[in-house]
Amino acid sequence: MQLTKDQLQTINQSGLSRHETDFNYLLDKLLANGTAVEDVITRLADFQVAIPSWALGAGGTRFGRFSYHGEPASLEQKLDDVGVLHALTQTAGAVSLHIPWDIPTDYAAVRERADSLGLKFDAINSNTFQDQHGADHSYKHGSLSAGEEGARRQAIEHNLEVVEIGRRLGSQSLTVWLADGTNFPGQRNFQRNLLQTQDSLQQIYAALPDDWKLYIEYKPYEPNFYSTVIQDWGTSLMLANACGDRAFTLVDLGHHLPNTNIEQIVATLMLKGKLGGFHFNDSKYGDDDLTVGSTKPYALFLIFNELVYGMRNNPQNPDLAWMIDASHNVKDPLEDLIQSLEAIQIAYAQALLVDQEELARAQEAHDVVRCQEILQDAYRTDVRPLVQRARLSRGGALNPLHAYRKLEVRNELIRERGKHTVATGL
Amino acid sequence: MQLTKDQLQTINQSGLSRHETDFNYLLDKLLANGTAVEDVITRLADFQVAIPSWALGAGGTRFGRFSYHGEPASLEQKLDDVGVLHALTQTAGAVSLHIPWDIPTDYAAVRERADSLGLKFDAINSNTFQDQHGADHSYKHGSLSAGEEGARRQAIEHNLEVVEIGRRLGSQSLTVWLADGTNFPGQRNFQRNLLQTQDSLQQIYAALPDDWKLYIEYKPYEPNFYSTVIQDWGTSLMLANACGDRAFTLVDLGHHLPNTNIEQIVATLMLKGKLGGFHFNDSKYGDDDLTVGSTKPYALFLIFNELVYGMRNNPQNPDLAWMIDASHNVKDPLEDLIQSLEAIQIAYAQALLVDQEELARAQEAHDVVRCQEILQDAYRTDVRPLVQRARLSRGGALNPLHAYRKLEVRNELIRERGKHTVATGL
Amino acid sequence: MQLTKDQLQTINQSGLSRHETDFNYLLDKLLANGTAVEDVITRLADFQVAIPSWALGAGGTRFGRFSYHGEPASLEQKLDDVGVLHALTQTAGAVSLHIPWDIPTDYAAVRERADSLGLKFDAINSNTFQDQHGADHSYKHGSLSAGEEGARRQAIEHNLEVVEIGRRLGSQSLTVWLADGTNFPGQRNFQRNLLQTQDSLQQIYAALPDDWKLYIEYKPYEPNFYSTVIQDWGTSLMLANACGDRAFTLVDLGHHLPNTNIEQIVATLMLKGKLGGFHFNDSKYGDDDLTVGSTKPYALFLIFNELVYGMRNNPQNPDLAWMIDASHNVKDPLEDLIQSLEAIQIAYAQALLVDQEELARAQEAHDVVRCQEILQDAYRTDVRPLVQRARLSRGGALNPLHAYRKLEVRNELIRERGKHTVATGL
Amino acid sequence: MQLTKDQLQTINQSGLSRHETDFNYLLDKLLANGTAVEDVITRLADFQVAIPSWALGAGGTRFGRFSYHGEPASLEQKLDDVGVLHALTQTAGAVSLHIPWDIPTDYAAVRERADSLGLKFDAINSNTFQDQHGADHSYKHGSLSAGEEGARRQAIEHNLEVVEIGRRLGSQSLTVWLADGTNFPGQRNFQRNLLQTQDSLQQIYAALPDDWKLYIEYKPYEPNFYSTVIQDWGTSLMLANACGDRAFTLVDLGHHLPNTNIEQIVATLMLKGKLGGFHFNDSKYGDDDLTVGSTKPYALFLIFNELVYGMRNNPQNPDLAWMIDASHNVKDPLEDLIQSLEAIQIAYAQALLVDQEELARAQEAHDVVRCQEILQDAYRTDVRPLVQRARLSRGGALNPLHAYRKLEVRNELIRERGKHTVATGL
């Protein structure tokens, strides 16, 4: 199923008048404050977030999974789903594949399909946290960190194979989430694990094409519950430094201990030129993988505030790879992603409204009250008309969720695919 | 120092035109959605939060305190400070005293002063977490929970004395925050502590005037770091039930373990008719006592959403006692309180915008996506014009912080009081 | 596979001399302190913990599962596994079934088999957190708390059916773990959910045989990540009280927010006569379901200290249902359970060594240092010889893990069952 | 007050026979396992922990402080207190001063006194978290990280002055705990703060004598509650690397977010040769500063297990500076420190019993069960006789707490100093 701009324009009609009123009101107000509104809208329109292929079906927990209807059963169908998202939101212009779940059979056809949907292949993801049927070695006791040379070799080669697949699709970066760790004190040797992981990453890094980047995730726990080899940003950064200039730390919002100040980590990494990518989601307890902005929208804004600061002031840091990494257990996955994309755009818009010069002055004057006012003034502004305007400027839906429902996309997908398909990898 | 409505009206002038534009835009929009805007404004205007006497000076930590200038040095000056806050915000129409820090010498004069400032005496607070100079018994090993009968008796009698002081001022409720607990496993007997606390509270409850209420706080830790006698809402409710119909649980936002779902506690207590009061503040790590709404504004909104629900649907629950309980370590205390009051009003306004009927329908239809949209639509609305309108309707400042600075209130207080006063109790 | 006492006696031989030395040394020392050693050993020997049927196969996480070899594929084989554990440890004399995973076909045969292995049927568990194939209603949006009457009715009836199955096996209690909750703010109505849950539990309670008990678990999160209907002990107790005298709260060690003082909850519930059962496991981050005592053994000891206190001083509280509830992701499940049983016995033995009279005196004297010494003296004692002696007194293995390996139990199970069986329910 | 070896020997008499029995039993058992018992005892005897001067009086919280009697009122009296501790435990052979609380007037006399008590001057501590009376600049808005050049300069110079004082006393290292941070989002600029802190530390480092080390602490929160400039080990390590070879990270056990795996941090830092020092204490919620080993003794053992591993396998890491950093709110400070020292020795002894070769083999064989057994076997051993033997070998007390009470040390101190002295800095 593909949505056309005409379809969307037709649906947009009924809301345009309201939008004009909202937008003009806000425009007036922001211009009066000296905000460069056009620049904000351009940045919003340019902001593209990759959709991971595994987020297009219903997710679950260790206690089970309630499946959704009309899930994509093939890579092509996954691309179609992202195509729908991108047509509606104009901010989902990339897809992030996961190997071995998404190995193409016909590369040219896959590239062509993505192209026709306006989608790029963003960072590609390897998987060494599960055993594949018929694999020579098990990852039960580690993959890139494994003491057993066979398992480690297999994990390294898998990553190289992933790079090769990505290369043929036009991707230019590899994301490594290493689930390796332990459930019990003493189970493995911390130092040996770290050294072996470093060696494995260096081997992978050495084999990367010259124009590729390596993103290294960190996570304090789950699926291991005593220790994780790459438990925090400090470890990830250490490993990235040991690899080289094109290795970076990747921050996933859910991969932190309770109460971690994530925005400070972002600021530090950008200062060091070592923030490579970002996985968006939201959570209250652990790596809950909920809809972006559904639980802690102010934290998301504060993180974007540092990202915007870094994008302006840290030329040493590369362009970032943005991705949503969420699990859709009780919502239509596509609706969930639409809500996530909206929340991201809103937080970004709010952060773009922060008057950084004035903030710097208030900071210098130790005017703590004023500093807070500046951030909260931006945050309390209803920026949705700006996000809508950016979307309209690219031919997207005024209100993507409304359009999605109006166009009965899910029903259409069920008609096309049947009720009981299961997304590969789920 | 006292502010007059004339002074405020003069200052308001320059902003009124902007306000009219903002308000009318929002009014139009909300009316189009069927919102009862006038009712919202009335509720906002009627909402009054008590200011605790101890929040008017700079606070500190165990590592020290950076004092502020022009702090109030007497009960009268504390009333004046609250008077300034109320004049500006029109939402601080009550004061909450702490004994022994605020024992009046001339009750009639104090009542008169409060009256002239439009202030009521809300819940009065006892203190059994510190030893007073010359006290017969120390609370080092417990007060209301003490094994030592002398200390326990002294603590009970102190509470009765506090009630008597409150009675003479027109207060009608007593708040007990019991800091009793232990630092080490085995230090005291959990069951005996609980029984003794219950007995102490029952004695205090029995001596309350008929029109008084008893509010029982809970807190998991600090100043004790292994256990607290009243560690959670379950224990507080158990004790309130053991006292009687006019004993209630009081929720302080900072008194919870990491990640606690506070709004669910609020909903449960209101269902049971046992939520008595609320202490507002914000925090990231523990009982940080920061400016309301400065860290987790969405959580505050979600709590207000349950409060509004309860106020509409739970006649079994009494009117609540609202209070700010924060510590002002790096800001002008009055400015900090102005920011807190604004954040409270904003969250309340947003919660009032939630269309509860529509939410109920979406819940019934298991439309999880729509449920989230309904809450977020209210939350993302810029409700500040409604809060301003409510304030204006009572003669307050359009922008209290702006007026406070414009009127140079702090400088005036320093002129009156000198730089190095210290608020009693700090 | 069944182990005989003769087999164990033979294996025990080589270690008996060492054991005698260890035991006599400890006996001397404890008798010198006035400890009633015989009584301690009797209590240890009498202490029996139920093994849940689902813990006999390898567990996993949402990211996958590494299977183990020789897992039990039927209820009979599960009983056999528990029989092996009990033969070795003499402390696993009960099994806890989970329906629909363990529905017997031949009740008499199953009872007979359990009987011959010395096993009782402890609390039986219902499952309304997953949809069963062909079910009329889905639990995706709730079961006992569901707004939809069909799903709720189905969940109630499932529980009644579970009771009937349990009754025919000789079980006398039902454990309800209710996974119901929400992932997003606003998704459902807290108050309605609670009332419906209460009504459902009351219906189940009303249908219980007169000699049955109802155990109500609580859990703050997972598999739902915004709220759980029965989120804490306060809610569970409220529901138990609403059901009646034979309804109790069940504490699972992993079902708490970070840093919760669980031993205080235990003490409070026993004081109220409302602690019904206990699920043992260990965890560092969330409901990690690790081997008992593998992460926080001192916390386990402190909990046992309160349990021992309650068992001595709270006749109002019934005998408790003890169960291990763990997930064995990287260990042989039976070895994992042997380690858990050992850790439980050790913590219990240490708690039995605490001189409660002396502790009470130190508490009364505010001798905090001495209080700590008393607890730590018990905890630091190497009590393993006492645990061994209790085991030997019942014909168990001196060192169960050693015997398990010596007897090559796992190899034997693989020979009997094959490598690739999968335990039902996993 | 000073304790003589004769006094202790006399008191030890009554317990020696029991000790011999205990020790010989354990010796036999350990020798049978091939443990190098003499080596363990030598290491225990050589292990010396510094006592911070501020831990000798009663501590408190932001809610107040219950003072203790006979507290030291001068640097000399503080040395005497540590002398008592060292005489009793033989493991407190160093003192750690805090400037400006402990500025000597007569350096020679102070050195002589320390010498006569067998005490060294370990790392010296600066204080830029409080304003000193009459200081030119306030640290309210930062010290080493301050935007204001005056405050930053003052903070740097203070550190240099501290080094000079330390140099004259024979200390060879400076510990910087930087409390700088913010309470509110936006209050200060993360990147600028970090750069300024780096510059300040580099200036201090450049001025260090050649044989000095710099220890950099980290802490996630408190006394600031939104952010801390040096929030975690990653940041500390980054700063240490920016300073040079003699700059190291210092780990304080209480300075971590909930559930942090501290032992992994220790292992990583020792691998990198960058673990400089260690502050012992215990905590359940935050930086509770409780008696070492009073809450999580197994975690302490696991940390020591990594320390022992590092001391054996990481020649790249220097000798560590050990210190207790606790707050004594409800116990006699000296008794509290005796308990802490005992807990440290016990954990160290247990860790020394771990058979690292066997552990390595079990790890290699993926025998997770065995790995756990090895650690727990060491941990469950009652090692107190080893600790006693080490203490006796140096002329200390068999049971320091018993001796302390028997000798009525506190009463003697009260007689000497009076009841109401207050330790400087408290």
Side-chain angles (χ1 to χ4, degrees), chain A residues 147-167:
Chain A
E148 205 187 329
E149 211 38 43
R152 192 159 80 92
R153 170 74 7 230
Q154 177 180 291
I156 294 169
E157 273 161 17
H158 165 68
N159 272 280
L160 299 183
E161 186 197 329
V162 170
V163 170
E164 177 55 19
I165 292 169
R167 203 191 50 73

Side-chain angles (χ1 to χ4, degrees), chain A residues 86-106:
Chain A
H86 190 45
L88 290 166
T89 66
Q90 289 300 319
T91 191
V95 64
S96 189
L97 301 188
H98 186 110
I99 306 303
W101 302 337
D102 301 312
I103 303 181
T105 42
D106 181 341

Side-chain angles (χ1 to χ4, degrees), chain B residues 191 226 228 232-233 263 314, chain C residues 191 226 232-233 263 314:
Chain B
Q191 297 192 355
Y226 169 64
T228 302
D232 53 17
W233 72 270
E263 51 270 33
N314 301 135
Chain C
Q191 297 193 354
Y226 170 64
D232 53 18
W233 72 270
E263 52 269 32
N314 300 137

Side-chain angles (χ1 to χ4, degrees), chain D residues 104-124:
Chain D
T105 43
D106 181 342
Y107 282 83
V110 164
R111 289 189 75 152
E112 199 174 316
R113 191 164 198 143
D115 223 49
S116 76
L117 296 165
L119 305 178
K120 300 210 166 115
F121 289 96
D122 208 309
I124 192 161

Side-chain angles (χ1 to χ4, degrees), chain B residues 141 148 184-191 194-195 226-229 231-235 237-238 257-258 260-261 263-264 267-268 270-272 302 306 309 314 359 363 366 368 371-372 375, chain C residues 141 148 184-192 194-195 226-229 231-235 237-238 257-258 260-261 263-264 267-268 271-272 302 306 309 314 359 363 366 368 371-372 375:
Chain B
H141 298 291
E148 205 187 327
F184 301 101
Q187 181 180 339
R188 299 180 65 204
N189 181 295
F190 288 130
Q191 297 192 355
L194 186 56
L195 289 174
Y226 169 64
S227 74
T228 302
V229 175
Q231 87 271 29
D232 53 17
W233 72 270
T235 309
L237 177 59
M238 189 182 274
L257 291 173
T260 301
N261 188 322
E263 51 270 33
Q264 187 171 6
T268 301
M270 292 190 88
L271 178 65
K272 294 285 163 182
L302 294 175
E306 296 306 321
Y309 180 87
N314 301 135
L359 180 61
Q363 288 170 341
H366 303 319
V368 184
C371 292
Q372 179 176 321
L375 289 195
Chain C
H141 298 290
E148 205 186 329
F184 300 101
Q187 181 181 337
R188 300 179 64 204
N189 180 295
F190 289 131
Q191 297 193 354
R192 215 172 316 141
L194 187 55
L195 288 174
Y226 170 64
S227 74
T228 302
V229 175
Q231 87 271 29
D232 53 18
W233 72 270
T235 309
L237 176 60
M238 192 181 273
L257 292 173
T260 301
N261 188 321
E263 52 269 32
Q264 186 171 6
T268 301
L271 177 66
K272 294 285 162 182
L302 294 176
E306 296 305 322
Y309 180 88
N314 300 137
L359 181 60
Q363 289 170 340
H366 304 319
V368 183
C371 292
Q372 180 177 319
L375 289 195

Side-chain angles (χ1 to χ4, degrees), chain B residues 332-347:
Chain B
D332 176 330
L334 294 178
E335 293 195 352
D336 201 337
L337 288 161
I338 289 170
Q339 289 187 308
S340 282
L341 289 164
E342 179 84 2
I344 290 170
Q345 288 280 62
I346 285 174

Side-chain angles (χ1 to χ4, degrees), chain C residues 55-126:
Chain C
L56 300 162
T61 71
R62 64 173 168 136
F63 296 103
R65 176 177 172 271
F66 298 100
S67 67
Y68 212 79
H69 301 319
E71 297 188 350
S74 65
L75 176 52
E76 286 71 17
Q77 290 184 354
K78 290 177 184 178
L79 290 176
D80 286 354
D81 275 12
V82 181
V84 166
L85 284 176
H86 190 45
L88 290 165
T89 66
Q90 289 300 320
T91 190
V95 64
S96 189
L97 301 189
H98 185 108
I99 306 302
W101 301 337
D102 301 312
I103 303 180
T105 44
D106 181 342
Y107 283 82
V110 165
R111 289 188 75 152
E112 199 175 317
R113 192 165 198 139
D115 222 49
S116 76
L117 296 164
L119 305 179
K120 300 211 165 113
F121 288 97
D122 208 310
I124 192 160
N125 303 270
S126 56

